[in-house]
Amino acid sequence: MHRRTLLGAAALLPFGARVVSAAPPAETITPALIEAARKEGKVSYYTAMDLSVAEPMAKAFEAKFPGIKVAVERTGAERLFNRLAQETASNIKRCDVVNSSDAAHFITWKREGWLQPYVTVDITENVAPEMRDPEGAFVNQRTHLSAMAYHIGLVKPGDAPKGFNDLLDPKYAGKLVKGHPGYSGTIMTATHQIARELGWGYFEKLAKQKVMQVQSATEPPKKLEAGERAVAVDGSDYLFWMGRERGVPIEVVYPVEGTPLISNPMAVFKAAPNPSAARLLFAWIMSGEGQEFIVNLSGQYPANLKVKAKAGRPPLSSIKTLREDPVEVEKTADEIKAKYARIFKV
Amino acid sequence: MPASSRSEAATADLPVRSSLQLDLSRPILIAVTALLVVMIALPMGWLIVYSLSDKQGTATLGNFVTLFTDPSFVDPLITTLIIAVSVSAICCIVAAPLGWLVARTDMPIRRIVRTLVMASLVTPPFVGAIAWEMLAAPNSGLLNQLWRSLTGMPSDEALFDIYSLTGLIFVIACYTFPYVFILVANALDRMPGELEDASSMLGAKTWQTARRITMPLALPTLLAGALVAFLQALNLFGSPAILAIPAGFHTLTTRIWSLFQFPPKPELAAAASLPLLLLTILLLRGQALALGRRGYAVLGGKYGEPRLVRLGAWRLPAAALALLVLAMPLFLPYAALFNSAFSRVASRLVTLDTITLHNVRFTFLELSSTMPALKNTFLLATLSATLGAVLALLIAYIVARRAVPGHRVLAFLATAPLAIPGIVLGVGLFLAYTRPPLTLYGTLWILLIAFITIELPAAYQQLSSAFHAVHPELEEAGRMLGASRLRTLADITAPLLRSAVIATWCFVFVAVIRELSAAVILFTSETKVLSVLIFDLKESGDVGAIAVLSLTMVGITTVVVAVANRFGGGREAGRLHARTAG
């Protein structure tokens, strides 16, 4: 696999560098595709995206293409990975389109031959080459960050942490909530990046802070909203923002050491029981309309360059992000899980 | 008539009868035995094989070495034992006095208290754990907020911390003590009044009688109850999964479950399951011994109704105490569930201004897993209840009437699953049915097998005690008039057992709806059931939807139980049982 050094912006992902590709020809949404999809009548979408975004997106698709029902199968990316492995091993064919917050999974799946190369014109024209697989097996659907955040009612802005190292201050003991890389792809990706930048010693110190351990990266924002803990060590940035826009008193923090960057690739499954509906859903999500829906609802950073980021959110280029390295994550995922479980005891 | 000669007579009859009246009892017996052997021996066999192999499939004891040396297994093992012992002790301390108050005193509202304790059993333990999270999470918990607003304590001071070992023990005890309570209260109901009368006639004071007569008589039952509680706590998966992980520790069941994370380690999971299995078998032996001794209290002719102890001035405090105990599994958790079902944020008390149907709308209109999960759950519960009741009825009949030689084996097989914890059975079935010839993983069948296996012992015990109350003469009359054994069973025995069968059906139905520990290992995305959906939603922290689904689940269960009671099922079975004992 080709590796590159990436700096900051989401536009640079090591999915493959050269655009010389054996990818299939780019397709568009044709009436024939819609008709074939309608005959299938349903499509299953495996994703790690929070339900508050995934289900409305599914409903928007159903409204646009009546007669096709979307079944959203949401769970943490690492559990999703496990579930797909078990289902495939048992010859259960259910997954049509898969979308995960752990980009490393797509390297494995592609190698196993589970992904159906499929490329649309929206992808070839409007998605940066670094964001897609040269053979067209997968493409980044959207990008988000694993940000920090605090509850304004529980932490005075002057006392707020500015970065990861601040969280080791004894005053935060018992006040932190954090996701788990054994369940969440966002946290897996983030854990790899933080361990690389700050060393595993950082987590050893953090574990002494009586951290409340939850599973998915979608849960720290909810624990913060409930006021259960004052500071979230990590979590999906878009959920912190969505809460804030709903009036929840929280403030998002982009750590001074850098914010973990999470791409969310998507692919059509080769064994898809509804191959046409799978392609239609995939193509729609990558279209301007699908991308706009995700951006307007959640403010995640779109992969489609024609779609503007959500107003009121900080532009991705203004945030110091850490380098995402799916190739390395793919190699070391088991080790990361084991180390993490040893340090945090769960 | 001895069993063998009678069955020989039955077989000898065969040629005389017309082919339409063929006695099917022998093929049925063989089929039932084979079915039970496959249901139990196959998963348990694979469990043992896996526990003794490494990843490549070569024989090794390495898994057990890991199990007893690696702290990531030893710690959960110790934690689990601490939990089981504590829960068992707490359950006895709470259930014994409460059972006595309800069964033997003139405490007001004692009937209501009794019904409500039983009703609290309808709550799946993992739903109870989620509700207690809403109540007693250190910062956002409603009770802690209340305490802070009353005392003016600062924001990070908490009265209760549910994310702790004590918190977990408390929550498990909340949903385990009803089992002990039912055992104790029923035993006290049946206890001979004469002994106590004699004691008081000889001049003993009320309390002396209670201490010297009632308590010793109830002690074996209490011991059995302690073991039941111990087993429940030992094998429970739901509550620890909800509370232990945020608290930063594992129990044995959650550790086994975590071994199914990628990359799955079924060998270790199998090895870690065996201590649970062995401990359960040992304790069940112990329980049989303890309950066996109870015999001397109940056998030996008719006894008078036990006399009620007059509490006098203590009547109201006793009732208040009973209500306080009931608040823990019932009033407080349900208040919390209703609150978060209709609130945007579970940690805030809902008011007329903030009440919202957002969660209800999301659960039923947006969440695409809701309807499939409801459908699967209903289908599985109905099928398991029907097939389970039929199977249990057949076995109970064969055993009770000693219809064929070898009936004892059937009785043993039907009760054996009692010794298999849900999560262990889940692991065993996963290993057995993810391979040919029966690749059932991913289908509803594997869940159906799991549920029937888990519920068979209870169903069998319920029906077998009912059978003992139907006199064989009635059936023999039918047989003499030329009806086949099956015909007799259908026309004579079954109607007499109607209420017991209905009760059993409902019992299995309810138990299946709340089953999580086997389902969480066996489900796939297509075969998700309600309990697993709630568990999945927990992972992403969607408590509003969880509250709505939990209330739906409990609502369904309550309706089924109510219907059962209307048919007189539960009470009838109890009465039959009492008659047998007398």
Side-chain angles (χ1 to χ4, degrees), chain A residues 42 46 50-52 55-56 58-59 69-79 81-83 85-87 89-90 92-94 153-154 174-175 180 182-183 211-216 218-219 222-223 225-230 246 248-249 334 337 344-346, chain B residues 75 133 136-141 145 155-156 161 163 241 244-250 257-258 260-264 344-348 362 365-369 430 434 439 441-443 520-521 523-526 528 532 535-543:
Chain A
K42 58 183 192 305
Y46 281 42
D50 191 64
L51 286 168
S52 66
E55 294 285 8
K59 292 287 169 289
K69 254 197 103 34
V70 185
V72 175
E73 175 68 19
R74 193 222 96 88
T75 186
E78 303 305 315
R79 293 183 69 198
F81 186 65
N82 192 22
R83 203 170 283 184
Q86 275 179 16
E87 292 190 357
S90 307
I92 297 164
K93 298 185 174 76
R94 173 146 193 275
L154 301 172
K175 294 184 186 236
H180 194 295
Y183 306 89
V211 177
M212 176 184 190
Q213 184 69 66
V214 294
Q215 301 179 16
S216 174
T218 63
E219 191 166 3
K222 293 163 197 169
K223 287 284 181 239
E225 176 170 3
E228 180 45 48
R229 286 294 187 271
R246 211 169 47 236
V248 182
D334 295 346
K337 282 180 201 169
F344 286 92
K345 305 266 182 256
V346 283
Chain B
D75 293 352
E133 236 189 324
N139 298 306
S140 59
Q145 291 187 52
S155 66
D156 39 357
D161 181 358
Y163 302 118
I245 291 169
F249 64 89
H250 270 298
W257 172 70
S258 77
F260 279 80
Q261 277 173 32
F262 202 85
R344 195 73 176 76
V345 187
S347 59
R348 251 171 266 141
F362 174 77
L365 298 180
E366 286 194 358
L367 190 60
S368 50
S369 301
F430 176 84
T434 40
T439 320
Y441 178 70
T443 65
V520 83
I521 302 280
F523 84 101
T524 56
S525 43
E526 190 108 47
K528 216 181 263 185
V532 173
F535 192 68
D536 263 3
L537 287 168
K538 180 69 191 92
E539 186 225 71
S540 51
D542 292 300
V543 282

Side-chain angles (χ1 to χ4, degrees), chain B residues 387-407:
Chain B
L387 295 176
V390 168
L391 190 61
L393 190 66
L394 262 175
I395 299 170
Y397 173 78
I398 295 171
V399 175
R401 295 291 173 260
R402 301 181 178 140
V404 270
H407 58 85

Side-chain angles (χ1 to χ4, degrees), chain B residues 551-577:
Chain B
L551 289 172
T552 310
M553 186 181 202
V554 171
I556 295 166
T557 321
T558 310
V559 168
V560 172
V561 172
V563 169
N565 278 337
R566 217 183 125 71
F567 279 105
R571 204 171 301 158
E572 190 70 11
R575 209 163 65 221
L576 287 171
H577 194 83

Side-chain angles (χ1 to χ4, degrees), chain A residues 11-345:
Chain A
L12 298 164
L13 286 169
F15 288 167
R18 288 158 301 139
V19 195
V20 206
S21 68
E27 295 180 35
T28 52
I29 296 177
T30 59
L33 180 68
I34 298 171
E35 194 40 45
R38 198 163 282 149
K39 279 214 182 83
E40 291 164 354
K42 58 183 192 305
V43 58
S44 73
Y45 175 57
Y46 281 42
T47 185
M49 200 193 317
D50 191 64
L51 286 168
S52 66
V53 185
E55 294 285 8
M57 187 188 87
K59 292 287 169 289
F61 176 82
E62 286 173 3
K64 169 95 183 178
F65 302 103
I68 308 170
K69 254 197 103 34
V70 185
V72 175
E73 175 68 19
R74 193 222 96 88
T75 186
E78 303 305 315
R79 293 183 69 198
L80 204 63
F81 186 65
N82 192 22
R83 203 170 283 184
L84 270 170
Q86 275 179 16
E87 292 190 357
T88 308
S90 307
N91 207 20
I92 297 164
K93 298 185 174 76
R94 173 146 193 275
C95 175
D96 287 311
V97 176
V98 64
N99 163 227
S100 163
S101 55
D102 186 340
H105 293 164
F106 289 81
I107 300 174
T108 313
W109 289 332
K110 187 185 167 193
R111 191 173 52 225
E112 297 286 327
W114 293 359
L115 305 180
Q116 172 63 52
Y118 179 63
V119 179
T120 64
V121 172
D122 283 304
I123 295 174
T124 50
E125 286 181 1
N126 303 321
V127 175
E130 296 85 0
M131 286 211 175
R132 51 189 219 238
D133 175 58
E135 270 114 46
F138 52 87
V139 62
N140 186 31
Q141 182 201 69
R142 68 205 142 88
T143 298
H144 74 279
L145 302 169
S146 171
M148 274 166 50
Y150 62 93
H151 191 289
I152 293 170
L154 301 172
V155 179
K156 288 185 210 82
D159 271 350
K162 296 195 171 50
F164 292 113
N165 281 313
D166 289 358
L167 298 178
L168 303 179
D169 190 314
K171 71 180 172 188
Y172 293 118
K175 294 184 186 236
L176 307 176
V177 57
K178 175 172 193 330
H180 194 295
Y183 306 89
S184 161
T186 301
I187 308 296
M188 167 56 85
T189 310
T191 304
H192 171 255
Q193 296 176 29
I194 297 168
R196 184 190 57 209
E197 303 296 325
L198 307 178
W200 278 98
Y202 173 72
F203 287 111
E204 271 157 26
K205 285 178 233 153
L206 186 68
K208 298 202 171 72
Q209 291 283 63
K210 287 187 269 172
V211 177
M212 176 184 190
Q213 184 69 66
V214 294
Q215 301 179 16
S216 174
T218 63
E219 191 166 3
K222 293 163 197 169
K223 287 284 181 239
L224 213 57
E225 176 170 3
E228 180 45 48
R229 286 294 187 271
V231 180
V233 180
D234 48 27
S236 303
D237 63 333
Y238 63 97
L239 291 172
F240 291 128
W241 282 106
M242 283 167 81
R244 221 180 108 96
E245 284 154 8
R246 211 169 47 236
V248 182
I250 55 180
E251 197 65 65
V252 187
V253 176
Y254 297 106
V256 288
E257 295 91 345
T259 307
L261 180 81
I262 323 290
S263 60
N264 291 262
M266 172 170 70
V268 171
F269 226 55
K270 193 170 262 170
N274 307 295
S276 301
R279 284 167 173 78
L280 183 62
L281 178 65
F282 179 98
W284 179 77
I285 292 176
M286 291 315 293
S287 74
E289 190 181 324
Q291 293 274 302
E292 250 163 44
F293 187 89
I294 297 176
V295 172
N296 288 343
L297 182 60
S298 70
Q300 295 178 81
Y301 301 103
N304 187 324
L305 295 169
K306 269 172 94 182
V307 176
K308 282 200 180 62
K310 185 167 186 168
R313 301 283 178 92
L316 193 52
S317 54
S318 73
I319 301 164
K320 178 185 171 192
T321 55
L322 297 177
R323 175 172 58 89
E324 191 185 26
D325 189 351
V327 178
E328 219 23 63
V329 172
E330 207 248 338
K331 284 190 202 137
T332 55
D334 295 346
E335 197 187 320
I336 292 174
K337 282 180 201 169
K339 267 189 190 158
Y340 190 93
R342 203 170 55 238
I343 293 172
F344 286 92
K345 305 266 182 256

